[in-house]
Amino acid sequence: MAAALPSEGMAARIEALRRITFVDVVLWGMRILIVFVVVGGTIGTLIQGRYTGEQWFDNFMFGLMIGGVYALIALGYTMVYGILRLINFAHGDVMMCGAFTSYFLANGLYRSGYLDAHPVISMILIMGLAMITCSVIALVVERICYRPFRHIRTLAPLICAIGASFFLQHSFRGMYGSSVRAYPDPVWLEGEFEIFGFGIPYTQPFVILIALAAMGALYLVVNKTKMGTAMRAVSEDRDAAAMMGIDVNKIIVFTFILGGCMAGIGGVLFCMVYNQIYYFTGFLPGIKAFSAAVLGGIGNVPGAMLGGFFLGVVESVGPALFLDGVGIRAPYQLRDLIAFTMLVMVLIFRPQGILGERLATQRA
Amino acid sequence: MAVLDVQNLHVFYGQIHALHGVSLSVDKDEIVTLIGANGAGKTTTLGAISGVLPVAEGEVSLDGQPLGKIMPHDLVKMGIVQVPEGRRIFGRLTVEENLGMGAFVRKDKDGIVESRERVLEMFPVLKERMGQVAGTLSGGEQQMLAMARGLMSRPRVLLLDEPSMGLAPMLVEQVFGAVQQVRDQGVPVLLVEQNAFMALQIADRGYVMETGEISLQGSNRELLENEDVKRAYLG
Ligand SMILES: Nc1ncnc2c1ncn2[C@@H]1O[C@H](COP(=O)(O)OP(=O)(O)OP(=O)(O)O)[C@@H](O)[C@H]1O
Ligand SMILES: [Mg+2]
């Protein structure tokens, strides 16, 4: 009896080993590599001490700022997914359309001096125009790409949305050319102020506060209004919602408008951060915001906000913190790599995201 | 004149002819039950009445007005509401929000407040749970909430699909007590049930469905004493 036990234990262990597949080994390898890069890189960087506290602070603040923009765009992905269970791949370009259209107004106001003289009214006009443009184009995308396929299980809407994405890019290219234009840089955003010895450019609090205000407003709409509650009801059980007399089409339209408004604000802020706009501007922030939405748990509104800020900070602090320490030169060129590595990692290791729940447990 | 009158209803799922000419009616102050085996077409009948399934042929009238092709959300506005099989409450919304969704089609704020007081009186268990997320309610409470939510639209007739499903016997009694209260409050009920015996206890009349057709109808006494019904559904 006593002699049999160890060999039984061995057999069980060998059995467990046999069940480990090649994929498991690769996945563990990836985990270890990531942990090595993050931990090793951080230690390496900190030992070298090449960056000052001021630089870390700058990176962090920039990350918060750009993260706020990602969060705004991510909300559009996540809300549409919540309702339709589909990704709106045209969303990044919807954002570009709003930002590009607002550029003409912003430029006009800038040249006439109105933008510098009346910041509040100007920004309301510029963002308002971007929000309206984004909403209208989002609705057209919904009508053409999503509504015809409402009752059919198919990939057609996704393919259609990718098509719409190219269509929007190239129609703006056709109309306004492929050159990069300078998005106006108002005089009241020039310069910086100082807190605890750290300099902060005015752009950063400006972008972060507007993003937070927009998200706060959205949060109230989604959680405290009748339409917002209906939106959550439809996203949970569309048929039951229809039985309660909720007009599902109306709610879907409402969702695309909300997403469009957030994209409009996000697009203008994005352009004000980088001071440029061209037909391809929507692509990168679009995919990054999508990554942020997945990171936070697609379909989850607070998750998208959190995911946006998280992605922004990691991709902005990460190159210096992780990559420099493992000896990679010019780590800043790899910041996009960090964002997309995070997307792939989340999809592999935690597809439900930070705040999301497993899809399988949603309906028992 | 019947509150709800259904004539010769035909419904197809693709090629499958699920309902072959179903006719039934529900009068004022009545509980009418629709019983039948699994797959007989009970849920399909309710879906066709509430507009969530397309009707190929036949007519549904409310208070003598033929309804024709109307979207489900307009039917709710007109007073036909279905409490779906399996309750289908919104589990991530609070109890209060669920009730609010029941009243989605209504614009009269004061009336909604009044209706809410009425349903909370009818289902006092919900009162202490207004702020609670509905998914955390017990099965019985969820069924109460599903009925309460349906009543929030102030319907002319309530379509109830298997309210006793998956509930312990004691809770079934509670739920059926609530169904009687709904009727006593002036809302007639069309009650679909597997639990034929219990349903016939509280119903005024009943219909028996078999493979897409009404095979038998009568008062609750007649059905309870009918030999075929006894053998097939009452054990
Ligand atoms: N979506 C559907 N597609 C195809 N056939 C369906 C669909 N829904 C129901 N049916 C068929 O229609 C018939 C009637 O179904 P229905 O759900 O109305 O029955 P039921 O009487 O409510 O049964 P149960 O007591 O199990 O709820 C069944 O034969 C069923 O297989
Ligand atoms: Mg059924």
Side-chain angles (χ1 to χ4, degrees):
Chain A
M1 198 62 195
L5 267 175
S7 74
E8 263 175 34
M10 278 298 267
R13 222 175 287 165
I14 290 170
E15 189 49 42
L17 277 178
R18 201 175 289 154
R19 258 182 264 125
I20 295 177
T21 63
F22 176 68
V23 173
D24 289 328
V25 175
V26 172
L27 290 183
W28 272 104
M30 280 164 67
R31 280 194 175 105
I32 291 166
L33 184 72
I34 295 286
V35 170
F36 170 76
V37 169
V38 169
V39 175
T42 305
I43 293 171
T45 305
L46 294 182
I47 287 175
Q48 286 173 1
R50 197 185 301 160
Y51 298 92
T52 64
E54 169 116 43
Q55 280 169 312
W56 288 121
F57 184 77
D58 277 354
N59 285 342
F60 180 77
M61 285 303 289
F62 188 88
L64 275 189
M65 169 172 70
I66 203 69
V69 175
Y70 294 157
L72 287 176
I73 306 169
L75 285 164
Y77 284 104
T78 229
M79 288 190 295
V80 166
Y81 182 87
I83 297 276
L84 296 178
R85 298 285 180 275
L86 289 169
I87 307 292
N88 178 10
F89 280 113
H91 191 61
D93 299 290
V94 167
M95 176 215 102
M96 177 277 293
C97 296
F100 215 134
T101 309
S102 79
Y103 156 80
F104 295 105
L105 176 63
N107 204 31
L109 292 175
Y110 181 64
R111 296 215 171 153
S112 68
Y114 195 84
L115 178 60
D116 287 337
H118 304 274
V120 177
I121 300 177
S122 304
M123 285 318 296
I124 289 175
L125 289 176
I126 292 169
M127 293 200 167
L129 178 65
M131 285 157 78
I132 292 170
T133 312
C134 287
S135 299
V136 169
I137 292 181
L139 287 184
V140 173
V141 169
E142 192 271 327
R143 185 56 67 93
I144 293 174
C145 301
Y146 290 93
R147 190 168 299 190
F149 307 107
R150 184 74 43 80
H151 299 288
I152 316 168
R153 265 191 170 287
T154 156
L155 284 180
L158 296 186
I159 296 164
C160 227
I162 292 172
S165 156
F166 289 126
F167 177 84
L168 292 174
Q169 279 173 23
H170 288 275
S171 42
F172 271 73
R173 186 184 184 170
M175 286 188 289
Y176 307 118
S178 55
S179 59
V180 177
R181 294 158 190 249
Y183 204 87
D185 194 10
V187 68
W188 39 265
L189 278 181
E190 277 166 21
E192 51 180 48
F193 62 100
E194 217 165 272
I195 291 185
F196 310 125
F198 294 126
I200 301 176
Y202 284 113
T203 319
Q204 290 178 354
F206 170 79
V207 169
I208 294 171
L209 289 180
I210 290 184
L212 285 179
M215 281 184 252
L218 179 88
Y219 190 82
L220 288 182
V221 169
V222 171
N223 287 291
K224 300 289 177 215
T225 67
K226 191 169 153 184
M227 285 301 272
T229 310
M231 212 175 113
R232 286 180 290 137
V234 170
S235 94
E236 202 173 312
D237 189 333
R238 190 194 291 182
D239 297 335
M243 280 184 196
M244 290 305 108
I246 297 172
D247 183 345
V248 174
N249 275 336
K250 217 192 240 170
I251 299 299
I252 292 173
V253 163
F254 180 71
T255 307
F256 273 82
I257 289 178
L258 277 187
C261 288
M262 293 299 120
I265 298 173
V268 171
L269 293 179
F270 186 80
C271 292
M272 294 187 75
V273 170
Y274 288 106
N275 290 121
Q276 61 178 44
I277 178 99
Y278 72 125
Y279 73 95
F280 208 54
T281 292
F283 181 73
L284 211 51
I287 312 190
K288 286 201 185 154
F290 168 66
S291 309
V294 172
L295 197 63
I298 189 109
N300 184 314
V301 168
M305 301 179 183
L306 197 71
F309 282 112
F310 188 68
L311 183 74
V313 169
V314 170
E315 77 160 21
S316 148
V317 176
L321 191 58
F322 319 139
L323 300 182
D324 206 331
V326 290
I328 295 175
R329 310 244 164 267
Y332 275 94
Q333 296 177 359
L334 295 179
R335 48 185 293 176
D336 296 343
L337 181 78
I338 288 194
F340 299 126
T341 308
M342 272 166 73
L343 173 63
V344 174
M345 289 298 130
V346 168
L347 287 175
I348 294 175
F349 294 115
R350 200 178 155 80
Q352 71 272 38
I354 303 172
L355 295 185
E357 44 207 292
R358 284 184 184 283
L359 286 176
T361 61
Q362 261 179 12
R363 210 165 284 160
Chain B
M1 180 177 46
V3 174
L4 178 73
D5 190 50
V6 175
Q7 289 299 327
N8 191 34
L9 214 53
H10 287 259
V11 172
F12 291 81
Y13 290 109
Q15 298 291 314
I16 305 165
H17 196 168
L19 295 190
H20 324 248
V22 169
S23 302
L24 55 81
S25 68
V26 180
D27 278 321
K28 203 160 151 289
D29 299 328
E30 261 192 331
I31 296 176
V32 175
T33 184
L34 183 61
I35 57 183
N38 283 109
K42 307 182 294 293
T43 299
T44 306
T45 306
L46 294 192
I49 296 171
S50 70
V52 294
L53 292 175
V55 174
E57 203 189 313
E59 193 158 75
V60 179
S61 324
L62 188 66
D63 295 318
Q65 292 283 350
L67 295 175
K69 285 208 190 318
I70 296 181
M71 295 295 286
H73 50 264
D74 288 323
L75 283 172
V76 174
K77 232 178 267 179
M78 297 172 77
I80 297 183
V81 73
Q82 180 180 3
V83 179
E85 196 172 347
R87 318 188 240 287
R88 309 276 287 269
I89 51 148
F90 304 117
R92 276 182 253 164
L93 272 52
T94 63
V95 168
E96 189 168 6
E97 287 171 332
N98 268 278
L99 293 180
M101 289 298 99
F104 186 82
V105 295
R106 294 173 61 180
K107 302 267 182 282
D108 54 325
K109 282 224 167 67
D110 299 341
I112 294 174
V113 172
E114 197 193 307
S115 296
R116 190 161 74 185
E117 262 152 37
R118 285 256 298 271
V119 300
L120 287 180
E121 236 163 71
M122 223 183 289
F123 306 103
V125 282
L126 300 179
K127 214 180 237 164
E128 310 111 57
R129 310 201 174 267
M130 289 297 272
Q132 191 173 327
V133 173
T136 61
L137 297 179
S138 73
E141 289 163 348
Q142 290 191 9
Q143 184 60 50
M144 304 287 184
L145 175 58
M147 286 195 268
R149 183 182 64 175
L151 288 171
M152 285 300 290
S153 67
R154 212 166 37 186
R156 297 280 300 122
V157 53
L158 190 71
L159 313 179
L160 262 180
D161 201 347
E162 302 209 23
S164 75
M165 193 161 93
L167 294 185
M170 213 183 72
L171 287 175
V172 173
E173 241 162 76
Q174 264 186 36
V175 167
F176 278 29
V179 174
Q180 282 175 299
Q181 268 194 22
V182 171
R183 188 257 324 264
D184 297 341
Q185 294 277 329
V187 181
V189 178
L190 177 56
L191 171 67
V192 161
E193 260 302 331
Q194 292 263 345
N195 192 337
F197 183 70
M198 288 289 287
L200 286 171
Q201 296 290 312
I202 63 162
D204 300 291
R205 291 187 298 120
Y207 295 87
V208 179
M209 238 185 143
E210 258 170 73
T211 57
E213 277 168 306
I214 303 286
S215 59
L216 201 64
Q217 65 184 81
S219 71
N220 62 337
R221 286 267 148 269
E222 287 163 2
L223 291 177
L224 277 168
E225 280 156 21
N226 183 291
E227 288 304 317
D228 293 336
V229 173
K230 267 188 194 166
R231 201 168 345 99
Y233 304 107
L234 305 179

